[in-house]
Amino acid sequence: MTAATAPNLEPVSHAAPGRRVLVAEDSPTTHEILKLLLTQRGHHVDIATDGEQALEALRHNHYDVALLDFHLPKMDGIRVATTVRSELPAHSRPRLIAITADLPGLLAHTADCENFDLVMPKPLDIYRIGQLIEEQAELGDEKQPEPLKPGRQSAPSLASAAIPAAVRQPFAIEGLGYEFLLWPEDIDVRRLSARAIQATLGDPRFDAILITQPVSVEALASLWERKALFALPIVDLTGTLGRMADFDGADLSGTEAERLGRLIRDFQDRRARLHRDLILSDKLSEKLLGRMFVANRPLTAAYDPRYRHLAAYDIPLGRRLATREAEALCEHGLLKREFFERFHICPSCDSYRFHVREECSQCRSSNLSEEQYLHHFRCAFQGPESDFRRGDELVCPKCHHELTHFGFDYDRPGTMVVCGSCGHAASEPSVGFVCLDCGVHTDSEVVPTRDVFSYQLTDQGVSFAEKGGAVLGYARQALRFADLPLELVVALNAAAKRYNEDKTPFALVNILYRKESEVVAEFGARRFAQARDLFIENLRNALAKPNTVVKGQSHDFALLEAIGPEQAQVDFDHLKERASRTLSVDLGAMFQAFGPEDFS
């Protein structure tokens, strides 16, 4: 933010035309921030505060997208969506997006919730919501699907009809009760199905990705281009992915089905602990770390002759990409290396596949043979026996004396390597490397090497997975509006407006608890939560209004009026002491203050 302009919480999108959006939400804070956000992106927004208002607005106005809260007064969001589906023709019906903090409650209405085109769980990701509005509106510009008939489910739990007959198993996998995304039916490299789009929002109802047709690693790597899909286990019914899959279901039996159930439950438990920063991250390194966390295993290298680099990791991602991102995480202390192997690499094409051979040091031919070599005592000449051989006699090629008595005229001290191509003889052969991919020859003395490592999460990496970007330190992590509670975003915009009008300064203080892991390990999560709540309450009491203290997901915030970030940092050093006096544990509270110039 410059001195002349207020901070925008979301950049205005110039790529998509303005859309007309209905926000049906009974919370003033939520619909206020949604209207602010979408208006900044160039959209026209109407507000409805209950279900009946929303239905009337949809009947009498044309909207591109409607955001419907599940628990609306008078008529809930499901009834609104169902009525709209039945009354409005496809060409005039908006894209319907459910927004709810009660995702299990919504999904319990299995058939009815399919009347929504998309479900967005609360707390809303304010970075993502604007993008989804435009994406869904673009889909609405294309041909609309036919209205769902009563009782019809467009996305049922895995049923026998959903699995190609060629990969159905003797054991009834469709009866296991899990919700699978199918490859390639749901996850096309060009466009995802509605179910897969829902999974990219972190929808917890999806349990795994089911591979029903043979797929290349390159194609499967497209999973990493999407949000959240990397956190689902991969169940391979084709038996072709090997250790890159989390579960080989080619020969699924009753015992194996129990093991699959344990795997899915373990992934679910770990995925529930994975911070939203990583689930919805665009960064491949953060997705890789998140994948390691939910899979609860190291990134382990193993020999694999199918690839030019002779090694692969136990994830559906190429070794070079995985190594690049893992090394970046090591630099930040989030992963640690464990040596696996040292490979020789071709300086021409970077391949690791070599033919390593003994060869002549002069002409590089591998046409070598071993011969006994003779030592003539009289003239001290040494050479291969073939140089001495004259029919049945041995004659020194240097002094031309005949060798008649072993041990008196000569001896055989060892063998020599003789080149059949150029005749050069040496006591030891040279070693050369010939690349099997490009044919380039490299001497063993100069062939480069590269070490390959396996990787494990560090304690800091685990903390990052569970608590998000806040644990990375202030020097490496900028303030993200996705971390801010909606009520704080509203107050922050009001402070920015005052700053632009009369230069009234403000500071937003980010509060991080450095010793959270230690307190939880020693006293338990409940003790930490109680101490954190008391700390926040003490801060509220210490700060006079209109200053605002708001509790966030993994860290907390204070918005201070009429002072800048430098003064706020100084003041908070004293406030921390006051707020901590009544605590029975040390939370290790840390602060960073942001001013108007830190927002854009």
Side-chain angles (χ1 to χ4, degrees):
M1 185 184 76
T2 66
T5 58
N8 289 329
L9 300 189
E10 181 74 13
V12 175
S13 173
H14 300 289
R19 303 292 185 171
R20 189 164 186 185
V21 181
L22 175 67
V23 174
E25 167 64 65
D26 62 325
S27 166
T29 299
T30 301
H31 66 60
E32 183 177 351
I33 188 58
L34 286 174
K35 185 169 185 176
L36 171 67
L37 169 69
L38 297 176
T39 301
Q40 285 182 344
R41 295 181 72 97
H43 305 305
H44 176 78
V45 181
D46 290 339
I47 301 295
T49 57
D50 62 51
E52 291 180 355
Q53 287 183 16
L55 185 57
E56 285 302 303
L58 289 166
R59 282 169 171 167
H60 296 98
N61 302 287
H62 172 75
Y63 294 100
D64 298 293
V65 177
L67 301 175
L68 304 176
D69 185 28
F70 172 32
H71 292 300
L72 284 171
K74 298 184 180 180
M75 179 186 294
D76 65 29
I78 283 184
R79 284 187 59 196
V80 174
T82 303
T83 305
V84 168
R85 285 275 187 184
S86 63
E87 292 184 359
L88 298 183
H91 68 274
S92 62
R93 189 168 61 233
R95 303 290 287 181
L96 303 174
I97 301 178
I99 54 176
T100 181
D102 181 19
L103 192 57
L106 176 63
L107 298 178
H109 300 269
T110 308
D112 291 334
C113 74
E114 297 297 341
N115 288 302
F116 291 106
D117 296 291
L118 208 60
V119 177
M120 278 261 341
K122 293 180 180 178
L124 297 174
D125 183 340
I126 65 174
Y127 278 115
R128 185 70 176 131
I129 190 70
Q131 297 172 350
L132 285 174
I133 291 291
E134 285 136 27
E135 290 173 4
Q136 290 298 307
E138 288 174 5
L139 291 173
D141 291 339
E142 301 173 4
K143 184 178 179 180
Q144 292 274 4
E146 290 301 315
L148 294 177
K149 296 178 181 178
R152 174 185 168 191
Q153 296 184 27
S154 65
S157 296
L158 186 65
S160 58
I163 307 177
V167 296
R168 287 192 199 136
Q169 304 302 314
F171 189 86
I173 190 171
E174 62 270 21
L176 296 179
Y178 300 118
E179 186 77 19
F180 293 101
L181 291 175
L182 304 182
W183 179 287
E185 289 86 345
D186 286 320
I187 310 175
D188 186 272
V189 294
R190 292 161 297 181
R191 171 162 289 182
L192 302 180
S193 72
R195 284 157 42 80
I197 290 175
Q198 193 63 49
T200 64
L201 298 173
D203 189 334
R205 65 177 159 147
F206 295 101
D207 299 304
I209 296 171
L210 196 67
I211 307 297
T212 63
Q213 295 180 16
V215 58
S216 67
V217 176
E218 292 77 13
L220 200 57
S222 63
L223 291 175
W224 297 89
E225 299 172 5
R226 313 287 183 174
K227 299 177 189 291
L229 296 185
F230 67 88
L232 295 173
I234 295 176
V235 179
D236 178 22
L237 295 187
T238 68
T240 59
L241 285 179
R243 58 195 298 274
M244 289 190 178
D246 298 289
F247 185 88
D248 187 347
D251 297 309
L252 193 63
S253 63
T255 303
E256 288 295 285
E258 292 178 7
R259 188 168 69 86
L260 173 60
R262 289 194 300 271
L263 173 76
I264 288 177
R265 289 191 296 273
D266 288 344
F267 263 77
Q268 288 172 337
D269 292 343
R270 304 281 292 187
R271 197 162 66 244
R273 293 168 53 191
L274 187 63
H275 194 274
R276 190 177 181 85
D277 277 0
L278 277 76
I279 291 178
L280 300 179
S281 176
D282 290 314
K283 295 180 180 179
L284 181 56
S285 60
E286 294 182 358
K287 295 177 184 179
L288 176 61
L289 187 146
R291 172 70 184 186
M292 293 173 64
F293 179 80
V294 297
N296 197 23
R297 62 173 183 260
L299 183 63
T300 306
Y303 299 109
D304 196 327
R306 295 175 297 173
Y307 302 104
R308 296 174 64 199
H309 295 106
L310 297 181
Y313 290 110
D314 49 352
I315 56 170
L317 185 65
R319 190 200 62 80
R320 294 188 68 180
L321 266 181
T323 299
R324 184 191 72 188
E325 302 303 328
E327 286 295 318
L329 293 168
C330 285
E331 291 178 7
H332 293 297
L334 303 176
L335 297 184
K336 61 182 178 181
R337 303 179 188 88
E338 181 178 302
F339 181 80
F340 167 66
E341 184 59 276
R342 178 167 294 154
F343 290 95
H344 295 87
I345 59 176
C346 175
S348 175
C349 71
D350 204 45
S351 171
Y352 293 10
R353 295 190 291 204
F354 281 111
H355 171 44
V356 183
R357 66 186 191 182
E358 294 182 337
E359 59 188 26
C360 175
S361 62
Q362 298 297 311
C363 70
R364 302 302 178 191
S365 171
S366 59
N367 181 18
L368 304 179
S369 61
E370 283 191 358
E371 288 189 41
Q372 290 282 331
Y373 72 91
L374 307 184
H375 175 209
H376 186 199
F377 297 150
R378 180 186 178 102
C379 67
F381 179 77
Q382 298 183 66
E385 186 172 338
S386 59
D387 288 352
F388 289 82
R389 183 64 61 185
R390 299 292 185 269
D392 292 334
E393 298 178 346
L394 296 174
V395 178
C396 177
K398 179 180 179 181
C399 65
H400 305 294
H401 281 80
E402 183 178 359
L403 282 61
T404 56
H405 299 288
F406 178 79
F408 180 78
D409 292 328
Y410 69 97
D411 66 358
R412 291 184 170 89
T415 59
M416 300 187 76
V417 177
V418 180
C419 177
S421 298
C422 71
H424 176 72
S427 59
E428 295 288 342
S430 295
V431 176
F433 289 72
V434 178
C435 178
L436 298 179
D437 288 302
C438 70
V440 167
H441 176 278
T442 309
D443 291 339
S444 61
E445 293 83 3
V446 297
V447 64
T449 61
R450 185 173 295 158
D451 292 342
V452 173
F453 299 91
S454 296
Y455 300 89
Q456 289 187 338
L457 284 168
T458 63
D459 291 342
Q460 188 178 11
V462 173
S463 294
F464 178 44
E466 294 180 330
K467 302 178 181 63
V471 303
L472 293 184
Y474 299 133
R476 298 204 300 266
Q477 184 72 13
L479 185 67
R480 290 161 42 92
F481 281 103
D483 296 329
L484 304 184
L486 291 181
E487 61 181 294
L488 181 61
V489 176
V490 174
L492 182 60
N493 272 272
K497 182 178 179 182
R498 289 190 293 272
Y499 175 82
N500 287 334
E501 291 174 349
D502 56 22
K503 296 299 181 286
T504 300
F506 68 89
L508 179 63
V509 179
N510 187 19
I511 307 169
L512 171 68
Y513 303 102
R514 180 170 45 86
K515 295 187 177 181
E516 177 180 353
S517 298
E518 299 174 24
V519 174
V520 170
E522 185 172 356
F523 302 105
R526 183 179 180 184
R527 182 79 168 272
F528 169 79
Q530 291 172 341
R532 176 183 174 184
D533 289 342
L534 181 57
F535 182 83
I536 291 299
E537 187 60 31
N538 290 343
L539 275 183
R540 289 195 180 105
N541 294 332
L543 289 169
K545 292 185 178 182
N547 298 314
T548 304
V549 179
V550 179
K551 186 175 180 179
Q553 182 177 1
S554 59
H555 42 124
D556 302 321
F557 305 92
L559 180 62
L560 306 184
E561 305 280 348
I563 64 172
E566 295 82 7
Q567 185 60 45
Q569 190 76 40
V570 173
D571 290 349
F572 254 79
D573 288 337
H574 301 294
L575 287 169
K576 178 176 71 172
E577 296 180 10
R578 293 177 57 186
S580 301
R581 287 173 186 170
T582 59
L583 303 186
S584 59
V585 295
D586 180 11
L587 299 179
M590 300 172 60
F591 310 102
Q592 184 185 26
F594 297 88
E597 65 279 358
D598 294 311
F599 303 100
S600 61

